[in-house]
Amino acid sequence: MRPLDEKETTMVFEKLFKFTGPTLKHLLERPSAEGPDPEPGRYCLRLHKNRVFYASESLVRRATAVSRTRLAGVGTPIGKFTHGGAFHLTVHALDLLAAHARRRVWLKPDTERSFLFGNSVPKSALARITENTKSGDGVVVMSMADVPLGFGVAARGAQDCRKADTNAVVVLHQSDAGEYLRKEEELM
């Protein structure tokens, strides 16, 4: 396990910034309540076997006692680097993104299942959308009960959604909570 280099850090931050905006700094600067240390530490990003982990500094210090071959991971896995070098957020990052997201989309209750099966969101499934959403922005998909279901990229802005056809895709699916069942072995 090692810290991310400059190129990797840039790629991870660009992807996270797409969803969180300026609140990205709160992810790493918030105090950690974990560990035996009397002073709260901070959170950091670490790379292990092409996966990026979000963990407290005290947890990372304690994990150095475990050999690399035996270490499965530390903290929350938020994404992975592909063989081609691209960074993809995984469903594990959903709680972090939902807590700090600046743009959200709410689905009608009868259409949540379709999204959880891996489908994109059509306009007919849309209950609400954050006003300032533009095409290409990262959005967190929520149920009407404010439960985060997944995340994706806005295919249309909030203004375009009003004029769009009912079958027009509004949010392109990237990840959802249903992946815990569909891709159980890939996620570990």
Side-chain angles (χ1 to χ4, degrees), residues 11 23 43 50 74 80-81 83 94 98 116 129 162-163 173 175 179 183:
M11 292 172 72
T23 62
Y43 284 90
N50 287 337
V74 172
K80 63 181 180 178
F81 284 98
H83 294 292
L94 181 59
L116 291 174
I129 186 169
R162 291 183 178 88
K163 303 173 209 163
H173 176 274
S175 188
E179 287 182 17
K183 299 180 180 180

Side-chain angles (χ1 to χ4, degrees), residues 97-182:
L97 294 179
H100 299 282
R102 64 179 166 171
R103 293 185 177 84
R104 292 181 169 92
V105 168
W106 288 266
L107 299 182
K108 294 177 182 173
D110 56 333
T111 60
E112 293 171 5
R113 178 178 277 175
S114 175
F115 181 74
L116 291 174
F117 286 159
N119 298 318
S120 294
V121 178
K123 182 191 172 195
S124 60
L126 199 64
R128 286 187 349 219
I129 186 169
T130 307
E131 271 309 305
N132 57 355
T133 304
K134 296 179 184 77
S135 179
D137 287 346
V139 294
V140 174
V141 179
M142 311 282 282
S143 70
M144 288 304 289
D146 282 336
V147 176
L149 301 174
F151 55 89
V153 176
R156 298 176 186 272
Q159 300 300 325
D160 295 338
C161 287
R162 291 183 178 88
K163 303 173 209 163
D165 183 42
T166 58
N167 292 330
V169 174
V170 176
V171 177
L172 299 170
H173 176 274
Q174 279 193 342
S175 188
D176 64 78
E179 287 182 17
Y180 284 116
L181 299 174
R182 290 194 315 269

